[in-house]
Every structure is written in C-alpha cells, then in structure tokens.
Amino acid sequence: MNSLRRRDPRLLISERECRALAPGINAWLVRGATEAEVIRALSQGLPTVLRGRAAGILAWRLREHLPPPAPAPTSAPLVPVAPGPVRGKPYPCRGCHNVVLRPESGLTHCQACREARVPAAA
C-alpha cells in the first residue's frame, strides 16, 4: 500500500484501514491480477477532489472493479504413448533352440523361424 501513497499522497491510509482492504486486494490477486494492476486500478483516474476517506474510495474500487475470475487452466490434449517393447517369459525356440522372450502364449518359434516357415508354407 506504500506504492499507492507514493503515486498519490492523498491515498495515505492507516494500518487498520490497510488490514481492512487486504481481503479485497487478495480477491484481485486470486483472480490473476498482478500487484501493479491492482495499484493502477486503485490510483488511476481519481477525481481532483476526493470526497470521503481514501480507504472508502479504495474499498469501493476494489469491489466495483474486481476482474472476472481467471479462466481455468486448460490441460494439454492427451497424446497417445507408443507402446514399449513387449516383454515376456524366456523360452527356447523349437526351430533354432535360441532362448527368446515369449510376448504372448502359444508361440513356439522365434520371429526369425516363424518368418522362415511362412515362405515354405506358401
């Protein structure tokens, strides 16, 4: 609130008034306003002659010029993750007897032996 007094000496307020204005200022900050925006909203465009207490004018401005709530943060669209390598239990291939991982049940040959068997069957 010292920034307000430096901008306009007429905005000198007591500590008690400062505490009373704190919830209104906090409402602005919660809605995404910066401290500079709050100070600007409270101090710009004041009339030449202030009628009433500075704290009353500031309280009115805090209430009447309260910005709308900040929009909810949008989450990034979900990007499908490529499946990782398929892991399984080790088993000996029936064709070459090399130990390979079996990603699904029922496979009895490694990929190389399966590929070698397909052209022979065709």
Side-chain angles (χ1 to χ4, degrees), residues 7-24:
R7 285 192 135 196
D8 189 333
R10 300 175 298 165
L11 296 179
L12 176 65
I13 58 176
S14 71
E15 184 177 344
R16 189 182 92 235
E17 291 169 325
C18 212
R19 281 194 300 265
L21 293 172

Side-chain angles (χ1 to χ4, degrees), residues 7 28 31-44 67:
R7 285 192 135 196
W28 277 67
R31 291 184 176 210
T34 65
E35 183 179 340
E37 290 170 331
V38 175
I39 291 169
R40 191 171 32 257
L42 294 176
S43 62
Q44 280 186 342

